[in-house]
C-alpha cells in the first residue's frame, strides 16, 4: 500500500544521501523513480540533488506554481522522492497526498522540520499533519547530543536571529545544534 513518508531532520542529518540511496534501491530492482527538488535551492546545480558525501542525481524542479499531482500523473513512476520538502506549499503537500491516494504511488519527502528561528516551514507543517509515516533522521550537535535545530550563523560564526525564513546555504551559514545550544546561541 502506497504511503506518504516525511523524513525530517536538522542540517547534516543525511536527508539527501538517504533519498539518493532509496532511489538507487528502487532502480536496482528495475523500478522507475521520479526525483524532485526545490528550484530555490541550486547548491548542487539547477535540477540536481547533491549530498554532502558526493552523491548526486538529476531531478525535476518544483516552484510555488508547480502542480505536482499533474506532473506525476502524466507519467506515474513506481516511487516519487522529494528533496528540500520544507519548500513545498501546503497545497503541494496535498497534491503529493493525492499521488499516494489516487495514483497509489508512494511518496518519500525529505526536508528540514524547522527554520533558523525554530519555526515550522509551511511544507513541513503540512507533511507532519498529513504524512502516513514520520521519520526523524538524526544529526549530531558539537556537544554530542542529538541536533534538532538549525542555527543560522554569520561569517564570524555568530548566531543570526532575524531575516527571511529562506536563505540557502550549507555549513557556511548553518550549524546543526541541540535545543540547549540553540537556545543559548539564540538568547546570547
Amino acid at each position: 500500500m502506497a504511503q506518504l513518508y516525511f523524513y525530517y531532520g536538522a542540517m547534516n542529518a543525511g536527508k539527501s544521501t538517504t533519498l539518493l540511496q532509496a532511489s538507487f534501491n528502487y532502480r536496482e530492482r528495475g523500478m522507475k523513480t521520479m526525483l524532485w527538488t526545490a528550484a530555490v535551492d541550486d547548491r548542487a546545480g539547477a535540477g540536481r540533488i547533491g549530498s554532502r558525501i558526493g552523491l548526486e542525481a538529476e531531478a525535476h524542479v518544483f516552484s510555488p506554481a508547480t502542480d505536482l499531482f499533474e506532473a506525476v500523473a502524466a507519467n506515474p513512476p513506481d516511487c516519487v522522492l522529494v528533496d528540500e520538502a520544507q519548500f513545498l506549499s501546503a497545497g503541494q503537500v496535498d497534491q503529493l497526498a493525492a499521488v499516494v491516494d489516487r495514483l497509489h504511488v508512494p511518496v518519500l519527502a525529505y526536508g528540514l522540520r524547522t527554520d533558523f528561528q525554530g519555526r515550522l516551514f509551511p511544507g513541513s507543517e503540512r507533511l507532519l499533519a498529513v504524512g502516513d509515516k514520520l521519520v526523524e533522521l538524526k544529526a549530531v550537535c558539537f556537544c554530542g547530543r542529538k541536533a534538532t535545530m538549525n542555527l543560522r550563523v554569520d561569517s564570524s560564526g555568530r548566531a543570526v536571529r532575524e531575516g527571511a525564513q529562506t536563505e540557502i546555504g550549507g555549513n557556511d551559514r548553518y550549524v546543526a545544534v541541540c535545543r540547549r545550544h540553540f537556545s543559548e546561541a539564540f538568547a546570547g
Side-chain angles (χ1 to χ4, degrees), residues 7 12-13 30 52 58 64 70 74 78 82 95 110 117 138 160 173:
Y7 295 89
N12 297 318
R52 286 182 171 79
E58 290 187 32
E70 185 178 291
D78 295 295
V82 182
Q95 293 165 9
Y110 297 78
Q117 294 179 319
K138 309 293 190 290
V160 175
R173 295 293 294 148

Side-chain angles (χ1 to χ4, degrees), residues 80-96:
V80 173
L81 299 104
V82 182
D83 199 28
E84 305 297 345
Q86 70 272 12
F87 297 131
L88 293 165
S89 69
Q92 287 171 319
V93 172
D94 291 340
Q95 293 165 9
L96 292 173

Side-chain angles (χ1 to χ4, degrees), residues 24-115:
F24 175 83
N25 291 346
Y26 272 92
R27 288 183 291 105
E28 186 177 48
R29 289 164 183 80
M31 300 172 147
K32 181 178 156 195
T33 60
M34 181 181 282
L35 279 59
W36 289 88
T37 190
V40 69
D41 186 355
D42 61 0
R43 288 175 293 163
R48 294 200 64 76
I49 296 172
S51 70
R52 286 182 171 79
I53 64 170
L55 301 175
E56 291 189 1
E58 290 187 32
H60 300 274
V61 295
F62 66 86
S63 67
T66 305
D67 184 322
L68 292 167
F69 180 82
E70 185 178 291
V72 174
N75 189 13
D78 295 295
C79 182
V80 173
L81 299 104
V82 182
D83 199 28
E84 305 297 345
Q86 70 272 12
F87 297 131
L88 293 165
S89 69
Q92 287 171 319
V93 172
D94 291 340
Q95 293 165 9
L96 292 173
V99 166
V100 172
D101 297 340
R102 294 173 43 202
L103 302 178
H104 311 289
V105 173
V107 174
L108 287 63
Y110 297 78
L112 299 173
R113 181 179 55 148
T114 59
D115 66 14

